[in-house]
Amino acid sequence: MKITCSRQNLIKGVSTVNKAVPSRTTMPILYCVLINAEADQIKLTANDMELGIETVIEGAILERGKIALDAKLFFDIVRKLPDNEVTIETGESFQTKITCENAEFKLIGQDADEFSPLPFVAMSDAVTLSQFTLKEMIRQTIFSIADNDSNKIMTGELFEIKGDKFEVASLDGHRISIRKEVLNNQYEDRRLIVPGKSLQEISKILPGDADKNVNIYYTDNHILFAFDETLVVSRLIEGNYFQIEQMLSSDYETKLVINRRMLLDCIERGSLLTSESEKKPVIFDIKENQMELKIRSFVGSMNEIIPIQKEGADLMIGFNPKFFIDALRVLDEEEITLYLINPKAPCFIRDEEEMYTYLILPVNFNEGDY
Amino acid sequence: MKITCSRQNLIKGVSTVNKAVPSRTTMPILYCVLINAEADQIKLTANDMELGIETVIEGAILERGKIALDAKLFFDIVRKLPDNEVTIETGESFQTKITCENAEFKLIGQDADEFSPLPFVAMSDAVTLSQFTLKEMIRQTIFSIADNDSNKIMTGELFEIKGDKFEVASLDGHRISIRKEVLNNQYEDRRLIVPGKSLQEISKILPGDADKNVNIYYTDNHILFAFDETLVVSRLIEGNYFQIEQMLSSDYETKLVINRRMLLDCIERGSLLTSESEKKPVIFDIKENQMELKIRSFVGSMNEIIPIQKEGADLMIGFNPKFFIDALRVLDEEEITLYLINPKAPCFIRDEEEMYTYLILPVNFNEGDY
């Protein structure tokens, strides 16, 4: 194999596929990036068997072939090369010569035939979204997947397709995050569970352009995201996802409209007094036109009054501050609406069209302490 | 005590003194920042007994007094407050109320009398430098202090005052870094060993203004840096520093002028092939008008030719790439000059006025391998 391409294109390609290079594995070949110039394109591929990424880079093929190179070393070298044309040429026993200006590197590559190809996913009947929309839907829900493996299903996100409705949801036992969008076509109903880790990596490499699309395809075991010159394939999590609709309710006793930034800043400040392990709640003491936020911990206390518009009954309710912070951080609205029933029932943050819904369970507290 | 000041001034003050708050200590009071408004100024102080920092912040004293507050918590809270006027008021049992707009925090402080004051250093006969110069002198030498405690003296930097000459130097057994400046006054000869850790912290908080000065004072045990509204006191390391002058030499067999950036980039690239633990050298193969750099390791090899201007004999010599990278990174010159004798003798990088001198010992290598 002999190819030439600009250092810029190489960097772009390698940093895209790099997200699928495992940091630890028992299969050394997985540490490699595959450079494949057997056909008319230069393709880079990495594959940790959960997530695989393939991208096409611009360049010239002088001699067809393929080679697997240690991804980290190759990436580090490419980044440090002068900003000019790079030539990659393979010789005997997988020896690979990388030249750029006066610099010449010789690396020992690995047999490209040992590299596991990406699982096959037929690219027909794409679910199509703008890159921006998918990236936002992931960002606005990913934080509430469970962070440990005790329930595998909770470490993934539900992708639900129902006619022309597309819903992304996650839950961790204390909260649920849901984002909905309307698609341009009708599709067969389908529920997929996509690993949160895969979505995090996809989010990082998805450019997020509002004018460009991402096409989503799926089989029983895999999901494929195709955008620009890149394909990302992730394994799906097996099992049946929770019936989220049954956990939601549109009843409420208290409805309040509040400035998102003001509420977020206040809870962030207060939560400095308590650690995640100490689990001291933030108390919302909701009265007419104002809400007092209170936090007590062994290092001190915070009280702050913020203005609200309220309908319905007064209420005093406590939450894990982190859960509110997480939800408030991903929203973009200046004002948000909270729906509450009583101190034991979940709180909902949602917009009128229900494009987003956040359910947060309250926590018990001793009213006398506040 | 009751004081008010802007959040901005508080942040500036706390982030300055914060560098002297230990991350671990057996004396809980050292985790505190002292707020002292007993006289006409609001002073913040932190002191880990090695390094102490005191700074004056602008604000109004409504009631004199002092209090010690947990530095990390106080800093975190101040950072998260709205950008407005902050009031700090102490009550009974060291309870402290921090208010800003609608937010009110109550923290449990500690007895300010338990706080260790900074060691006394008489502020007379200052050695005066511009902030910029001192910051540069530290930056350009600090990297070659020894990073372990096996020889305490090597973890410090030599500050040598000799008439109107000021010299900062460090060494770690493999290399020496020296920076010299001329002072505006004559001083009594003195050699001080300043802990590298203290200099690193001072470097971070020294604004580095070329038009503003820093005054340096010292006793047998301490050194004091005074700049802007801030005093920094560090303990000195006891002992006699090495006689560096005896290790230097102005003889050379080979002199070469080289583009600093080009040499640095090339060594940085090549060093990707080898880890610090593997200790593979970079070989300089010096010929007429060109130098070939070579690195061989078990993952691969690099060769690169770069242009030089040479006087004297051809030479092949090997170095630890890290030592060259460290020295080349801190220099600002476009072109630098290397002085070499033979493959076993130290290499010197220095300018004509000897404002800076870097000595780097070569390493052994098997010439047949390259």
Side-chain angles (χ1 to χ4, degrees):
Chain A
M1 184 193 80
K2 187 174 182 182
I3 59 169
T4 68
C5 60
S6 73
R7 171 178 163 272
Q8 282 307 329
N9 286 341
L10 259 185
I11 287 185
K12 189 164 161 258
V14 187
S15 48
T16 299
V17 300
N18 210 26
K19 302 286 186 290
V21 177
S23 52
R24 220 173 298 179
T25 172
T26 51
M27 294 168 64
I29 190 75
L30 301 187
Y31 288 125
C32 287
V33 56
L34 174 72
I35 307 176
N36 188 331
E38 285 190 305
D40 299 331
Q41 291 179 316
I42 305 171
K43 280 187 199 169
L44 303 181
T45 311
N47 184 4
D48 71 5
M49 308 307 277
E50 273 285 312
L51 182 73
I53 308 177
E54 180 181 294
T55 195
V56 174
I57 59 168
E58 263 181 68
I61 301 171
L62 308 178
E63 198 186 304
R64 290 174 194 245
K66 59 183 179 177
I67 187 76
L69 295 176
D70 182 273
K72 187 180 177 313
L73 181 61
F74 180 61
F75 193 21
D76 286 348
I77 288 174
V78 168
R79 262 195 297 213
K80 285 284 184 187
L81 286 177
D83 202 7
N84 211 325
E85 204 67 12
V86 180
T87 303
I88 303 171
E89 186 176 2
T90 54
E92 278 189 18
S93 327
F94 313 117
Q95 197 171 90
T96 306
K97 198 163 80 181
I98 303 168
T99 45
C100 182
E101 291 185 4
N102 289 326
E104 180 185 298
F105 279 87
K106 285 194 187 119
L107 303 182
I108 297 131
Q110 292 197 51
D111 187 352
D113 288 328
E114 281 181 26
F115 199 90
S116 307
L118 296 194
F120 175 75
V121 178
M123 290 171 73
S124 57
D125 294 328
V127 170
T128 303
L129 289 164
S130 84
Q131 294 180 4
F132 174 78
T133 302
L134 180 63
K135 198 166 171 143
E136 281 292 281
M137 291 180 88
I138 297 172
R139 181 180 73 87
Q140 294 180 322
T141 52
I142 192 95
F143 61 87
S144 61
I145 57 169
D147 52 8
N148 67 59
D149 273 354
S150 63
N151 184 331
K152 185 79 182 161
I153 288 178
M154 281 195 191
T155 65
E157 287 213 272
L158 173 69
F159 273 36
E160 179 162 23
I161 296 124
K162 218 175 183 172
D164 65 348
K165 306 271 190 305
F166 179 52
E167 180 176 320
V168 175
S170 74
L171 61 79
D172 69 359
H174 304 283
R175 49 187 172 160
I176 307 176
S177 306
I178 307 168
R179 272 283 276 117
K180 293 181 185 172
E181 286 289 335
V182 177
L183 301 169
N184 291 326
N185 296 309
Q186 293 282 337
Y187 298 87
E188 205 176 306
D189 290 4
R190 193 67 180 268
R191 285 161 68 92
L192 310 164
I193 313 174
V194 190
K197 200 187 150 295
S198 297
L199 292 175
Q200 253 142 5
E201 300 306 338
I202 291 165
S203 240
K204 284 179 202 155
I205 58 175
L206 194 65
D209 213 311
D211 300 328
K212 286 188 182 172
N213 285 335
V214 48
N215 289 325
I216 305 175
Y217 309 89
Y218 34 84
T219 63
D220 286 346
N221 300 314
H222 291 96
I223 184 165
L224 166 64
F225 299 85
F227 53 92
D228 304 339
E229 304 300 317
T230 302
L231 302 179
V232 181
V233 183
S234 169
R235 200 192 282 270
L236 291 170
I237 296 173
E238 284 176 49
N240 291 313
Y241 203 75
F242 310 92
Q243 294 302 323
I244 289 177
E245 289 300 323
Q246 299 172 4
M247 306 175 190
L248 306 181
S249 148
S250 53
D251 295 344
Y252 65 90
E253 296 292 325
T254 308
K255 172 182 172 182
L256 48 102
V257 177
I258 194 161
N259 180 289
R260 183 184 62 85
R261 189 77 240 171
M262 199 181 271
L263 180 60
L264 174 59
D265 285 348
C266 175
I267 301 176
E268 281 186 334
R269 273 196 285 278
S271 71
L272 296 171
L273 295 172
T274 174
S275 61
E276 182 65 1
S277 57
E278 203 192 357
K279 286 190 188 305
K280 292 291 183 191
V282 54
I283 307 301
F284 289 10
D285 190 355
I286 302 162
K287 299 224 168 67
E288 212 51 45
N289 298 326
Q290 70 169 53
M291 171 160 89
E292 186 169 3
L293 283 94
K294 306 175 189 182
I295 292 192
R296 302 267 172 285
S297 78
F298 83 99
V299 296
S301 66
M302 186 206 72
N303 287 59
E304 183 164 351
I305 289 168
I306 54 183
I308 56 171
Q309 297 160 45
K310 194 193 70 165
E311 286 173 27
D314 288 1
L315 179 66
M316 197 160 163
I317 185 169
F319 297 100
N320 179 331
K322 181 180 185 305
F323 295 165
F324 254 87
I325 290 171
D326 285 346
L328 295 175
R329 275 192 187 154
V330 297
L331 288 169
D332 302 311
E333 281 70 16
E334 202 184 326
E335 299 214 304
I336 54 161
T337 310
L338 269 59
Y339 298 87
L340 302 127
I341 299 172
N342 65 50
K344 307 280 183 195
C347 164
F348 290 90
I349 310 173
R350 64 167 175 256
D351 60 337
E352 273 185 35
E353 304 77 30
E354 296 194 21
M355 298 296 275
Y356 65 80
T357 303
Y358 295 96
L359 176 159
I360 301 175
L361 288 182
V363 294
N364 288 325
F365 64 99
N366 186 343
E367 215 171 305
D369 293 347
Y370 294 90
Chain B
M1 184 195 79
K2 187 174 182 183
I3 59 170
T4 68
C5 60
S6 74
R7 171 178 163 273
Q8 281 307 330
N9 286 341
L10 258 185
I11 287 186
K12 189 164 161 257
V14 187
S15 48
T16 299
V17 301
N18 210 26
K19 302 286 186 291
V21 178
S23 51
R24 221 173 299 179
T25 172
T26 51
M27 295 169 65
I29 190 75
L30 301 186
Y31 288 125
C32 287
V33 54
L34 174 72
I35 306 176
N36 188 331
E38 286 190 304
D40 300 330
Q41 291 179 315
I42 305 172
K43 280 187 199 167
L44 302 181
T45 311
N47 184 3
D48 71 5
M49 308 305 277
E50 274 285 312
L51 182 73
I53 308 177
E54 181 181 293
T55 194
V56 173
I57 59 169
E58 263 180 67
I61 301 171
L62 308 178
E63 199 187 303
R64 288 174 195 245
K66 59 182 178 177
I67 187 75
L69 296 176
D70 182 272
K72 186 179 178 314
L73 181 61
F74 180 61
F75 193 21
D76 286 346
I77 288 173
V78 167
R79 263 195 295 212
K80 285 283 185 188
L81 286 176
D83 203 5
N84 211 325
E85 204 67 12
V86 180
T87 304
I88 303 172
E89 187 177 2
T90 54
E92 277 189 19
S93 328
F94 312 117
Q95 197 171 88
T96 306
K97 199 162 79 180
I98 303 167
T99 46
C100 181
E101 291 185 5
N102 288 326
E104 180 184 298
F105 279 86
K106 284 192 187 121
L107 303 183
I108 297 130
Q110 292 197 51
D111 188 352
D113 288 328
E114 282 181 25
F115 199 90
S116 307
L118 297 194
F120 176 76
V121 178
M123 289 170 74
S124 58
D125 295 328
V127 171
T128 303
L129 290 163
S130 84
Q131 293 180 5
F132 174 79
T133 302
L134 180 63
K135 198 166 171 144
E136 280 292 281
M137 292 180 87
I138 296 172
R139 180 181 73 87
Q140 294 179 323
T141 52
I142 192 97
F143 61 87
S144 61
I145 57 170
D147 51 9
N148 67 60
D149 273 354
S150 63
N151 185 332
K152 185 81 182 159
I153 288 178
M154 281 194 193
T155 65
E157 287 213 272
L158 173 69
F159 273 36
E160 178 162 24
I161 297 125
K162 217 174 184 174
D164 64 350
K165 304 272 189 307
F166 179 51
E167 179 176 319
V168 175
S170 74
L171 62 80
D172 68 359
H174 305 284
R175 49 186 172 160
I176 308 176
S177 306
I178 307 168
R179 272 282 277 118
K180 294 181 185 173
E181 286 289 336
V182 178
L183 301 168
N184 291 325
N185 296 309
Q186 293 281 337
Y187 297 87
E188 205 177 305
D189 290 3
R190 192 69 178 268
R191 286 162 68 91
L192 310 164
I193 313 174
V194 189
K197 200 187 149 295
S198 298
L199 292 175
Q200 252 142 5
E201 300 306 338
I202 291 164
S203 240
K204 285 181 202 154
I205 59 176
L206 194 65
D209 213 311
D211 301 329
K212 286 189 180 172
N213 285 335
V214 48
N215 289 325
I216 304 175
Y217 310 89
Y218 33 84
T219 63
D220 286 346
N221 300 314
H222 291 96
I223 184 164
L224 167 64
F225 300 85
F227 52 91
D228 303 338
E229 303 300 318
T230 302
L231 302 179
V232 181
V233 183
S234 169
R235 200 193 282 270
L236 291 170
I237 296 173
E238 283 177 49
N240 291 312
Y241 203 75
F242 309 92
Q243 294 302 323
I244 288 178
E245 290 299 324
Q246 298 171 6
M247 306 176 191
L248 307 180
S249 147
S250 54
D251 295 343
Y252 65 90
E253 296 293 324
T254 307
K255 172 183 173 183
L256 48 103
V257 177
I258 194 162
N259 180 289
R260 182 183 63 85
R261 189 79 242 170
M262 198 180 274
L263 180 61
L264 174 58
D265 285 348
C266 175
I267 301 175
E268 280 186 335
R269 272 196 286 278
S271 72
L272 296 171
L273 295 173
T274 174
S275 61
E276 182 65 2
S277 57
E278 204 193 356
K279 286 190 188 305
K280 291 291 180 188
V282 54
I283 307 301
F284 290 8
D285 189 356
I286 303 162
K287 299 224 167 69
E288 211 52 43
N289 297 326
Q290 71 170 52
M291 172 161 87
E292 185 170 5
L293 283 93
K294 307 175 189 182
I295 291 191
R296 301 269 172 284
S297 78
F298 81 99
V299 296
S301 66
M302 185 206 73
N303 287 59
E304 183 165 350
I305 290 168
I306 53 183
I308 56 170
Q309 296 160 44
K310 193 193 73 165
E311 286 173 27
D314 288 1
L315 179 66
M316 196 160 164
I317 185 168
F319 297 101
N320 179 331
K322 181 180 186 304
F323 295 164
F324 254 89
I325 290 171
D326 285 346
L328 295 175
R329 275 192 186 153
V330 297
L331 288 170
D332 302 311
E333 281 70 15
E334 202 185 325
E335 299 215 303
I336 55 162
T337 310
L338 271 57
Y339 299 87
L340 303 126
I341 300 172
N342 65 51
K344 306 280 182 197
C347 164
F348 291 90
I349 309 172
R350 64 165 175 258
D351 60 336
E352 273 185 32
E353 303 79 28
E354 296 194 22
M355 297 297 273
Y356 65 80
T357 303
Y358 296 95
L359 176 158
I360 301 175
L361 289 181
V363 294
N364 289 326
F365 65 98
N366 186 343
E367 215 170 307
D369 293 348
Y370 293 91

